[in-house]
Amino acid sequence: MYVQTVMSQGDLTAMLIGDIDHHTAREMRKEIDALVEKYHPTLLRLDFSAVQFMDSSGIGLIMGRYRLMKLIGGSLLVCNVPPHIKRIIDLSGVGTLGVLEYRTKEAMK
């Protein structure tokens, strides 16, 4: 299992687990997209707190969910991003979309 999801008050939270690479990203996309299409959440939250490794497939995962949420009139929030993953996101330019929540799990305690 690479994704744990919770639907609450119109928001869908997807906790991504493990590594995000070309092998796992496809399954994550399929599972998240199916739930977005079924429930049409107003907010999709991608929680990266349990992600140990991410390559460019993770950037594609974020971008595709961003486009999907825009198509249905919702928004995307990427949260709990570990510093080593945040660096990849920042280098890709995805952070300029305004989808990153800069608070970490530690800051929310």
Side-chain angles (χ1 to χ4, degrees), residues 2-109:
Y2 303 113
V3 180
Q4 290 179 349
T5 57
V6 175
M7 185 73 186
S8 176
Q9 299 178 343
D11 295 349
L12 176 63
T13 299
M15 176 177 263
L16 309 176
I17 301 167
D19 296 345
I20 304 176
D21 58 24
H22 69 281
H23 296 292
T24 59
R26 179 180 309 148
E27 293 303 316
M28 290 177 174
R29 276 194 309 268
K30 286 171 30 179
E31 187 170 343
I32 294 166
D33 289 359
L35 291 171
V36 167
E37 291 174 16
K38 181 176 181 178
Y39 295 113
H40 291 274
T42 55
L43 174 68
L44 171 60
R45 186 177 291 110
L46 298 179
D47 185 331
F48 276 74
S49 59
V51 175
Q52 288 87 35
F53 169 83
M54 182 178 89
D55 65 13
S56 61
S57 301
I59 300 302
L61 177 76
I62 294 169
M63 291 299 298
R65 286 352 87 216
Y66 175 79
R67 283 190 298 271
L68 177 61
M69 291 305 294
K70 289 296 177 192
L71 282 173
I72 66 166
S75 57
L76 174 71
L77 181 64
V78 178
C79 61
N80 299 324
V81 180
H84 63 284
I85 303 293
K86 184 179 176 306
R87 179 166 163 71
I88 296 167
I89 292 171
D90 288 344
L91 288 171
S92 74
V94 169
T96 62
L97 297 175
V99 299
L100 273 180
E101 179 179 71
Y102 287 98
R103 292 182 302 154
T104 63
K105 263 190 157 174
E106 291 75 29
M108 292 190 287
K109 290 182 183 176

